[in-house]
Amino acid sequence: MSDDVAAPAEFEVPEGYVALDWRRGFVHQIGPLYRRQGAGGYAMGFLVEPHHTNGMSNAHGGMLMSFADMAWGHVVSVETSSYWVTVRLTLDFLSSAHLGDWVEGESEVLSSEEGLYVVRGRIWTGERTLITGTGVFKPIQRRDPRPGEKAFQAASG
Amino acid sequence: MSDDVAAPAEFEVPEGYVALDWRRGFVHQIGPLYRRQGAGGYAMGFLVEPHHTNGMSNAHGGMLMSFADMAWGHVVSVETSSYWVTVRLTLDFLSSAHLGDWVEGESEVLSSEEGLYVVRGRIWTGERTLITGTGVFKPIQRRDPRPGEKAFQAASG
């Protein structure tokens, strides 16, 4: 086991994904994480490595939840170019991810009334759904639009 | 920021708590975590360190969720001396924990019908509640009782 969170050298990042550049804090600690964006929408992904596993060599539930929080809440960044916080998460665990699996996640907005984003999310590997659930996220502060966000595309388009 | 998950030298572990001896996998990666057990019940705890934080120097939501999963599900170990999996978690985020805060968590069993443990849980720091929620956990395999678990106490008492 190692604290080195660099991806294994032989790992080929799936097409369309780029690594997130977090160099500190919790997201670095549980990384590397990847993001895909483009005409087909966006998603997040990560490869299950030894530092993500439980005693059964599956992705730890906490890792999948942390990933779900980020993958599902990201839609708020895309829609509003804001920092956001998580208000509520409900997660149903359906299946396990194993060491070496490529895990992906995304969400769709159900409602954005009253400044609260309610989303339905899914986490999967290959054809297998790992988690479904609902998230409620609250934008707290606008920031400059970043590539892949609607405000960025509108300004540059 | 460092990948070194050793506790700061000046940190004095709160009375009654001992560090969990996880040397690999996700629990090691996000550690160190601590557990208290005894006549007054049990709880889990951790000190918010730089590798637990988000960009605002608060504990990342994913860290708090991972901690809640373990702190709330542990009651299944105490009651049944089994390995267990998480079936469903609902988490309401009420407040943030800051760098240097000592965070604690515990749960109480609401129901254990049909082999599913439903618990109500809480995560807090000092007088401030950070998360409340509900967990559903399923014991999957009996193992030898460990200190602090009911079967261990019954055998040794």
Side-chain angles (χ1 to χ4, degrees):
Chain A
M1 189 276 158
S2 161
D3 288 335
D4 182 0
V5 297
E10 70 275 19
F11 171 59
E12 190 171 317
V13 179
E15 189 176 345
Y17 278 93
V18 295
L20 295 183
D21 188 25
W22 282 81
R23 300 186 186 180
R24 48 189 288 175
F26 188 70
V27 180
H28 173 81
Q29 191 72 13
I30 67 169
L33 305 179
Y34 300 84
R35 183 173 294 151
R36 170 170 61 76
Q37 60 199 26
Y42 53 85
M44 284 180 62
F46 79 101
L47 181 75
V48 181
E49 297 186 57
H51 65 278
H52 299 133
T53 58
N54 59 24
M56 295 175 279
S57 287
N58 291 327
H60 193 283
M63 177 62 202
L64 293 177
M65 294 158 62
S66 299
F67 177 72
D69 182 46
M70 287 179 273
W72 297 355
H74 180 62
V75 69
V76 181
S77 300
V78 173
E79 296 284 335
T80 71
S81 292
S82 298
Y83 298 107
W84 48 265
V85 293
T86 306
V87 175
R88 167 174 261 206
L89 271 184
T90 298
L91 306 112
D92 287 298
F93 294 79
L94 309 180
S95 183
S96 301
H98 313 299
L99 188 62
D101 281 348
W102 173 249
V103 174
E104 296 173 275
E106 65 180 8
S107 68
E108 61 175 314
V109 175
L110 299 178
S111 160
S112 58
E113 303 286 322
E114 309 278 348
L116 283 180
Y117 276 76
V118 181
V119 315
R120 175 165 53 200
R122 192 168 80 92
I123 305 294
W124 70 93
T125 179
E127 299 295 310
R128 199 165 78 250
T129 297
L130 306 177
I131 299 179
T132 60
T134 304
V136 181
F137 303 98
K138 182 178 173 63
I140 53 172
Q141 188 187 331
R142 294 264 174 180
R143 54 162 174 70
D144 288 339
R146 298 172 184 168
E149 297 176 354
K150 287 187 174 176
F152 184 90
Q153 290 158 341
S156 60
Chain B
M1 188 277 158
S2 161
D3 287 335
D4 182 359
V5 296
E10 69 274 21
F11 171 59
E12 190 172 318
V13 179
E15 189 176 346
Y17 276 94
V18 294
L20 295 182
D21 187 25
W22 281 82
R23 299 188 185 178
R24 47 190 289 174
F26 187 70
V27 180
H28 173 80
Q29 192 72 14
I30 67 169
L33 306 179
Y34 300 83
R35 183 173 293 152
R36 170 171 61 76
Q37 60 199 25
Y42 52 86
M44 284 179 63
F46 79 100
L47 181 76
V48 181
E49 297 186 57
H51 65 278
H52 299 134
T53 58
N54 59 23
M56 295 173 278
S57 288
N58 292 328
H60 192 283
M63 177 62 201
L64 293 177
M65 294 158 62
S66 300
F67 177 71
D69 182 45
M70 287 179 273
W72 297 355
H74 180 62
V75 69
V76 181
S77 301
V78 173
E79 296 284 335
T80 70
S81 291
S82 299
Y83 298 108
W84 49 265
V85 293
T86 306
V87 175
R88 167 174 261 207
L89 271 184
T90 298
L91 306 113
D92 287 298
F93 295 78
L94 308 181
S95 184
S96 301
H98 313 299
L99 187 63
D101 282 347
W102 173 249
V103 175
E104 297 172 275
E106 65 180 9
S107 67
E108 61 175 313
V109 176
L110 300 177
S111 159
S112 59
E113 303 285 322
E114 309 277 347
L116 283 180
Y117 276 76
V118 181
V119 315
R120 175 165 53 199
R122 192 168 81 94
I123 305 294
W124 70 93
T125 180
E127 299 295 309
R128 198 165 80 251
T129 297
L130 306 176
I131 300 179
T132 60
T134 305
V136 181
F137 303 98
K138 182 180 173 60
I140 53 172
Q141 189 189 329
R142 294 264 174 180
R143 55 163 173 69
D144 288 339
R146 297 171 183 168
E149 297 175 356
K150 288 189 175 175
F152 184 89
Q153 291 158 340
S156 60

